[in-house]
Amino acid sequence: DAGVTQTPRHEVAEKGQTIILKCEPVSGHNDLFWYRQTKIQGLELLSYFRSKSLMEDGGAFKDRFKAEMLNSSFSTLKIQPTEPKDSAVYLCASSLDSSNTEVFFGKGTRLTVV
Amino acid sequence: GDSVTQTEGQVTVSESKSLIINCTYSATSIAYPNLFWYVRYPGEGLQLLLKVITAGQKGSSRGFEATYNKETTSFHLQKASVQESDSAVYYCALGPNNNNAPRFGAGTKLTVKP
């Protein structure tokens, strides 16, 4: 079975650009998460979807970050406009449901904003 | 809101020595949250190491152990004798619980010296 797939693996953007990161969750999983990973903050929640409905939206990220689930097997994270402080690894993850099940992570997209 | 604290950003241990990585949590959305440890080995994605969903219980995997202590709200990760192959970044996590996404600590980078 395929795990969580994220594309692209690396992205370089100029300040002010719009970028779109993509994610395909594990087939059959109902919950999908986007996180930003940095050395200082660790994993910060950006968005949480259940069956395509938005359950949580990371408060600090609302203005320039927008995640969507186009269907049950595809999600995007748009950053508009990008800023140098957005440079980080963006992780997508999915789980079967919100009970005691583990979360499966993609390998991440490393974003560099210059 | 729910949160997880890992006090050590980096830990260096000599091979065959014992290890403890501290984790404490604060849960406001649920009385007894599910607790997890995830690990990221060099070049790999984040993956589950162990989980405990019942207070007072111990989880174990690959020689690592963690006990769910609700009195001290702690979930420390321990290993009696580390190996070089244990060098990785370890994340303590709370959840998912009910309608909330998992919350992660900042991560602890473990380096095992030969």
Side-chain angles (χ1 to χ4, degrees), chain A residues 29-35 44-59 61-62 65-69 75-77 91-99 101 103, chain B residues 94-103:
Chain A
H29 280 189
N30 294 312
D31 287 6
L32 184 139
F33 313 92
W34 283 99
Y35 289 91
E44 300 171 281
L45 179 70
L46 300 174
S47 294
Y48 164 31
F49 293 90
R50 175 182 296 162
S51 300
K52 301 194 296 180
S53 296
L54 183 65
M55 302 295 290
E56 278 191 87
D57 207 350
F61 299 94
K62 283 184 179 176
F65 293 73
K66 184 174 178 61
E68 292 183 303
M69 281 211 73
S75 177
T76 59
L77 175 66
L91 296 175
C92 178
S94 69
S95 68
L96 188 60
D97 55 40
S98 63
S99 63
T101 56
V103 174
Chain B
L94 182 160
N97 299 290
N98 296 332
N99 297 324
N100 296 310
R103 261 51 179 184

Side-chain angles (χ1 to χ4, degrees), chain A residues 33 35 37 39-43 45 48 50 55-56 97-103 105, chain B residues 34 36 38 40 45-46 48 51 53 91 96-106:
Chain A
F33 313 92
Y35 289 91
Q37 178 183 288
K39 287 185 179 179
I40 295 175
Q41 300 291 341
L43 272 70
L45 179 70
Y48 164 31
R50 175 182 296 162
M55 302 295 290
E56 278 191 87
D97 55 40
S98 63
S99 63
N100 59 9
T101 56
E102 72 179 275
V103 174
F105 284 85
Chain B
N34 303 322
F36 299 77
Y38 287 82
R40 189 179 77 243
L46 204 56
L48 178 69
K51 70 179 183 184
I53 62 172
Y91 292 90
N97 299 290
N98 296 332
N99 297 324
N100 296 310
R103 261 51 179 184
F104 289 80

